[in-house]
Amino acid sequence: MSSSPLFGIVPAGQPLITDPSSTPSPASLLYTLPTAKPFSHIVVFMLPGVALPPGTAAAIYLATAADPANFKFLGAIGPGKESAMFKVSGGDSGAGGLMIGISVEAEDAVALQLQQLAASKQTNTAVAAGSSASQPSTVVLAERIIRNAFNFLSSFSGTAGPGGVEVVPLKAFEDWWRKFESRVRSDPSFLERQQSD
């Protein structure tokens, strides 16, 4: 591998980093990211004129300064995909800083890691969708609020006027609202639980 810079890293809102902090092996580079300003995304790219050896790709890894031996695979760049943006957590001084590892590896090995990462994301998305599917929709919550108000206010209804129009005193609505707000404060999820019709 060349001794001139190969990759550029830009933490959001920070200057470009091209020089690695260390080079554990000719095919592995470590970059310590600055912690002066917080950031949540980084861009990693191959510098102009850089070509990786045939049949290889650059695997991108992330570790925290607190646990530098535990690198997590983020993704990869290489021929045909010379740059990538990654969402990261810990991009502030409170987390102790982040380290990016870039390792030039066999294309097949990197492709396998990308497949595993995609499968992991699909599993996480399915789990998240399953947990949100158990929460009622906005329409269902609105119906439950209206039903709660109707049930409370119907006991206060009376007739008024020559046509016998059914009315509810405004004070009854104010009482319902006060009780409803109190219940939401004491048990915010009471409307999310299935109520019998």
Side-chain angles (χ1 to χ4, degrees), residues 141 144-145 148 176 179-195:
L141 286 175
R144 290 178 182 173
I145 292 169
N148 183 288
W176 169 78
K179 288 180 182 181
F180 183 78
E181 278 185 316
S182 173
R183 186 159 182 201
V184 167
R185 274 194 295 277
S186 66
D187 182 12
S189 63
F190 87 96
L191 286 170
E192 294 174 10
R193 291 191 296 275
Q194 185 67 350
Q195 296 178 349

Side-chain angles (χ1 to χ4, degrees), residues 21-86:
S21 307
S22 66
T23 308
S25 76
S28 298
L29 308 166
L30 292 177
Y31 298 83
T32 301
L33 301 182
T35 58
K37 282 182 4 187
F39 58 90
S40 60
H41 291 82
I42 61 166
V43 175
V44 180
F45 56 93
M46 293 171 44
L47 292 172
V50 170
L52 296 176
T56 64
I60 314 298
Y61 298 91
L62 174 75
T64 63
D67 189 9
N70 189 13
F71 277 89
K72 174 186 164 202
F73 180 73
L74 293 179
I77 58 174
K81 186 178 191 302
E82 288 79 14
S83 66
M85 180 184 293
F86 304 102

Side-chain angles (χ1 to χ4, degrees), residues 1 29 94 110 124 131 134 146 169 171 195:
M1 304 265 329
L29 308 166
V110 173
N124 291 344
S131 66
S134 65
I146 296 298
K171 173 98 173 84
Q195 296 178 349

Side-chain angles (χ1 to χ4, degrees), residues 121-143:
K121 286 182 179 177
Q122 285 177 341
T123 301
N124 291 344
T125 302
V127 167
S131 66
S132 66
S134 65
Q135 293 180 343
S137 70
T138 305
V139 171
V140 170
L141 286 175
E143 289 171 349

Side-chain angles (χ1 to χ4, degrees), residues 90-189:
D92 57 37
S93 56
L98 297 175
M99 290 176 25
I100 295 294
I102 300 179
S103 176
V104 178
E105 302 174 7
E107 214 170 43
D108 295 341
V110 173
L112 181 61
Q113 288 187 83
L114 286 169
Q115 288 174 346
Q116 291 170 344
L117 182 64
S120 170
K121 286 182 179 177
Q122 285 177 341
T123 301
N124 291 344
T125 302
V127 167
S131 66
S132 66
S134 65
Q135 293 180 343
S137 70
T138 305
V139 171
V140 170
L141 286 175
E143 289 171 349
R144 290 178 182 173
I145 292 169
I146 296 298
R147 184 180 313 124
N148 183 288
F150 179 82
N151 290 341
F152 182 86
L153 296 173
S154 62
S155 63
F156 294 95
S157 70
T159 55
V165 176
E166 199 167 349
V167 295
V168 175
L170 185 56
K171 173 98 173 84
F173 180 78
E174 290 169 345
D175 289 345
W176 169 78
W177 182 248
R178 210 173 3 267
K179 288 180 182 181
F180 183 78
E181 278 185 316
S182 173
R183 186 159 182 201
V184 167
R185 274 194 295 277
S186 66
D187 182 12
S189 63

